[in-house]
Structure formats: structure tokens, C-alpha cells
Amino acid sequence: MFLLSQKGLDKKVSSSLSGKKVLLGVSGGIAAFKAVSVASALVKKGCIVKTIITRNAGEFVRPLTFETITNNACLTSTFERKEQFDVKHISLAQWADLFVVVPATANIIAKIAHGLADNMLTSTFLACTCKKVVFPSMNTGMLENVATQTNIRTIVSRGIKVVEPTEGMLACGDVGKGRLPEVDDIVQCIFETLSVRTDLKGKNVLVTAGATEESIDPIRFLTNRSSGKMGYAIAKVAAERGARVTLVSGRTDSLTVPPGVDVLFASSACDMYETVLDVVEKQDICVLAAAVADYTPKVKLDYKMKKTDSNMILELVRTPDILASLRGYVKKDTFLCGFSMETQNLLENSKKKLMSKNVDMIVANNINDVGAGFGVDTNKVNIITRDKVLDIPLMTKEKLAGVILDNILNYIN
Ligand code: C5P
């Protein structure tokens, strides 16, 4: 549910962020003091920073501190008199490239989740259409409370990035999860969010993900161990980079559909085939990451199959190979990328697939490699095209999604 930032500051990224407008919202937790260092680091990197603090945050840090550091007014009230006349929460909302809330208390998260607008911070947040990042910080019990978790899920589903708090000694003396991340990590996460590219704007991208289910009878089905994480990560990153994404999803490990992605659910290989064919014609890029059954029971019973004392043979028939059939249905220059999961002869088998399925790229992984394959959040792959084989090291599926899309763009631009 959470999204984590990565350590270390990328100089190339920060230099391109000069002049970016960051609205820094501060709510009333003990970690509010760290927001001062965050404001300072952003200003040093060339960002223009304006702050809004809640009345409670003002008990921990003074507006004057932020004003001195940012050289901009720090707002606390919706009815501020000292600023020039305009509707402040609306003009600020339109001004910002990014709205970050550091720290975000359980209270402010609840208000955001429910669309409350009862102070300057929440009113501006509600009016704001730019990217938003929220950094929760609170006592472990408050964080783990189902109410807070539900609120976090709600705001994540609306496209707001929520960064996981770290573990450690909390202000209340408890040890647990709920600490605000270190200032460097917060700043890095802000920079990553600001520097997200829009290089897929205008492109239609189709992604398949998850496992198919082949019905035997109303109770049993044949399936596989795919979690859907890789396909969902590709859909998410493609949408973040500006693509219009259609995700055709089989069964997953209860994954949430990424914000801005159109989803069509398909259960069996045949359902997925038909669903894909319905939408494939307009696609510029197709990434087929679903683990599709190669065989399905010849007969699907509509009553429960009863056991007998003897062994049984279940007759299976071939399913359509969706990927292999696509070339006949797509535009001439549509880029086709498939996946290949093997336990033996990875490169040889995957190169054969590239040719036999007539596609432009195969992302291949050996599920016996540590950290690769089903269920885990990481993957280690080879990207195979007609002219080269790239060895991509172990990384998160989300990061790998970006690498795969970068490589696809190298071929279509
Ligand atoms: O031939 P193999 O199943 O190893 O190929 C895997 C690739 O083909 C994946 O991209 C998968 O989504 C796709 N595929 C498909 N339809 C099938 C079987 C696999 O689209 N029936």
C-alpha cells in the first residue's frame, strides 16, 4: 500500500528541479520540527517553497521559522489578512507543482480521506490538482488502527502517494512503526516525484497481468502462482508517465488497480484473449505479463465432479496464445512485448519465443533466481530484443517497470 523513497540524492535530478514550486503542509505532530529541515533542503536545491501549517503544528514550530527559511509567507488561517487579496487556498492550489504533507497526522489523513476542508491546509489540499505526497507520522497504534489504514488506502486509491513511516523510538516512548523518515529520504522522495517523466503522453498502452483460472467444475479450477505484481507495476508506471493504460487483469494477490488505469477483468485464457482483442487495435504498446494457462479442461462441468475410487484423467485442450496472435490485430508499428518465465535454458527458450510469437521484446526471468519471479516485490530479468540481450540486475518490480518502458521507448521513438 505504501510507496517507499530511496536513499541517496541524485545530482542530475536535483539540478533539473530548480524553480519547482512546492507547497509544504505541516500538521501537528512532534515530527513537525523535521519539516523545517525539509523546507531548508528544498530551498537549497532551488525549489520555491511555500508553507501552510495547522494551528496544532504552530504549537511545535513557529511560522516565522518557515518564513525565514523559505522567504515566503507561512499561512495558518484561511482568513489571513496580511497577504495581497485573492482566495488564498485556491491561488496556492493552482500555484503548486507538488503538495507535500510532512508530517501527516492520523487526523489530517482522516480529513483528506473524507474531503474535509476545515482549515487552510485541508482546504488547499482539496482544491489542489497537482501531485501530492503524504508522509504519515504517528504512534504505532494510531497507524495500525483499521480506521487509519482504511483512510490511507482511500487516499492511495485516489492517486496520492503515501510514504511508509520508518520504525524506531517514537516520541511517546514506544518502539515501533510510525517515525517520519530521515530528512534526506523525504527530500529524495520529493525530487523523484517531481521529476517523473511524461514521455508516454499520448501513447495507448495495453498491459495484461495476473493468473488465469480454467474452470473444471463450479468448485475447482486450474491456475498458477502469478501474483500480478509485475504487470500491475508496469501499468502503474506507464500511467504515471502519461500513457492511457488499459489493464486486462486475471486473478491477482488482491492488488489495487493503480490510479488512472482502466481495468478489464478476465478470468480464463479464452476470456482474456477476447478481452484483449476487443481493445488491441488502438494500442501503441502491448506488454503481456499475464501468466496465461496453456491448457484448459476440454469439458467444464456445471455440477460438482464426484470422486470415485479409481484414478482419473482430465482431458485438457490448448488455449489461444494471445501474444502470438497479436501481430495480426495491431497497427503496423505497435510494439509487442511478452514475458518468459523459465526454469531451464532461459535465453535459448526466450529467444525462440521472440521469433515464434513475432514480437519485438521478451522480458525473461528464471524463477529459480533469488528475488525473481512469483509473489516477491523484486525481479531479475534479461531484456531480449532482435539486436541485443540486456542483463538487468535485481531490482524492485516498480523500478524494473520503468526500465522496461525506457527500453521500449528506445525502439519506438
Ligand atoms: O509461451 P509462453 O507461455 O512461455 O510465453 C509467455 C508469454 O506469452 C507471456 O507474455 C504471456 O503473457 C503470453 N501468453 C499469452 N497467451 C498464452 C500463453 C502465454 O499471451 N496462452
Side-chain angles (χ1 to χ4, degrees):
M1 174 205 320
F2 289 106
L3 296 156
L4 269 173
S5 62
Q6 288 176 357
K7 290 190 191 283
L9 228 63
D10 180 339
K11 291 202 179 70
K12 256 195 346 225
V13 171
S14 59
S15 65
S16 66
L17 293 173
S18 175
K20 290 282 183 192
K21 294 171 234 146
V22 180
L23 204 46
L24 177 63
V26 185
S27 61
I30 179 70
F33 75 94
K34 282 194 190 172
V36 175
S37 306
V38 171
S40 167
L42 292 174
V43 169
K44 280 188 192 136
K45 294 291 171 191
C47 294
I48 306 165
V49 181
K50 294 188 178 178
T51 43
I52 306 175
I53 70 172
T54 62
R55 206 173 293 281
N56 287 341
E59 300 292 325
F60 293 102
V61 271
R62 309 306 297 162
L64 185 62
T65 315
F66 287 110
E67 290 178 341
T68 312
I69 283 170
T70 64
N71 212 16
N72 276 313
C74 169
L75 301 177
T76 51
S77 156
T78 323
F79 304 103
E80 210 79 49
R81 305 299 308 168
K82 64 186 176 196
E83 282 283 297
Q84 69 191 64
F85 182 76
D86 52 8
V87 184
K88 210 67 212 165
H89 64 285
I90 303 297
S91 64
L92 267 180
Q94 289 164 347
W95 170 84
D97 294 317
L98 178 72
F99 197 144
V100 281
V101 184
V102 183
T105 56
N107 183 46
I108 210 87
I109 291 169
K111 287 180 179 181
I112 291 170
H114 290 88
L116 294 187
D118 63 345
N119 62 34
M120 185 66 182
L121 202 165
T122 49
S123 304
T124 312
F125 202 92
L126 195 61
C128 210
T129 53
C130 68
K131 288 179 200 156
K132 296 164 179 165
V133 191
V134 166
F135 290 85
S137 167
M138 64 198 75
N139 161 271
T140 312
M142 295 170 85
L143 179 69
E144 286 175 354
N145 188 296
V146 70
T148 308
Q149 288 299 313
T150 306
N151 290 334
I152 289 174
R153 262 197 302 278
T154 301
I155 70 175
V156 168
S157 73
R158 292 183 191 144
I160 297 165
K161 191 164 171 173
V162 177
V163 179
E164 192 168 13
T166 57
E167 285 187 31
M169 170 77 90
L170 303 173
C172 54
D174 285 357
V175 175
K177 199 167 196 171
R179 272 173 67 86
L180 197 66
E182 295 307 318
V183 171
D184 274 359
D185 293 337
I186 295 172
V187 172
Q188 171 67 11
C189 181
I190 291 171
F191 285 171
E192 280 171 5
T193 311
L194 276 168
S195 66
V196 166
R197 286 167 290 163
T198 53
D199 49 4
L200 285 166
K201 209 175 170 81
K203 300 271 186 247
N204 291 316
V205 176
L206 171 75
V207 182
T208 68
T212 58
E213 292 176 348
E214 307 302 322
S215 173
I216 298 170
D217 68 10
I219 294 152
R220 295 115 171 169
F221 55 84
L222 302 176
T223 190
N224 57 67
R225 295 194 165 91
S226 171
S227 63
K229 287 182 177 174
M230 191 65 242
Y232 271 57
I234 293 169
K236 175 176 187 282
V237 174
E240 282 172 359
R241 285 166 66 165
R244 277 185 299 271
V245 181
T246 307
L247 172 65
V248 177
S249 175
R251 200 210 59 247
T252 68
D253 283 359
S254 308
L255 298 181
T256 306
V257 177
V261 168
D262 292 330
V263 69
L264 298 166
F265 291 101
S267 166
S268 65
C270 282
D271 290 344
M272 191 172 276
Y273 178 66
E274 281 163 22
T275 310
V276 165
L277 290 197
D278 276 349
V279 294
V280 82
E281 207 187 333
K282 60 174 187 220
Q283 306 299 334
D284 301 298
I285 298 168
C286 300
V287 184
L288 270 57
V292 184
D294 295 318
Y295 294 91
T296 191
K298 183 171 182 185
V299 179
K300 297 171 201 333
L301 300 175
D302 54 13
Y303 54 89
K304 184 183 174 190
M305 186 193 285
K306 299 303 286 179
K307 59 178 168 289
T308 63
D309 289 338
S310 47
N311 293 341
M312 68 168 278
I313 293 173
L314 185 65
E315 192 178 350
L316 302 176
V317 292
R318 279 301 311 262
T319 55
D321 189 318
I322 308 168
L323 183 61
S325 66
L326 281 195
R327 193 55 79 196
Y329 294 95
V330 292
K331 294 183 284 182
K332 197 165 88 354
D333 52 358
T334 297
F335 192 94
L336 298 182
C337 169
F339 273 70
S340 171
M341 192 169 260
E342 298 286 342
T343 51
Q344 289 158 318
N345 305 326
L346 177 70
L347 290 185
E348 197 188 320
N349 286 334
S350 305
K351 281 179 191 166
K352 272 193 206 148
K353 263 177 236 181
L354 183 79
M355 304 312 288
S356 67
K357 296 189 190 229
N358 194 11
V359 297
D360 303 293
M361 178 182 284
I362 289 284
V363 179
N365 65 333
N366 184 333
I367 61 165
N368 291 332
D369 281 350
V370 177
F374 292 133
V376 290
D377 290 323
T378 53
N379 210 350
K380 180 177 176 302
V381 303
N382 290 107
I383 293 181
I384 305 170
T385 48
R386 280 159 208 255
D387 55 340
K388 58 181 181 257
V389 175
L390 297 176
D391 205 353
I392 312 294
L394 185 73
M395 61 180 69
T396 64
K397 286 186 172 164
E398 192 161 329
K399 192 150 193 189
L400 177 60
V403 172
I404 293 167
L405 291 168
D406 287 346
N407 275 281
I408 292 176
L409 278 171
N410 280 343
Y411 284 90
I412 64 175
N413 281 336

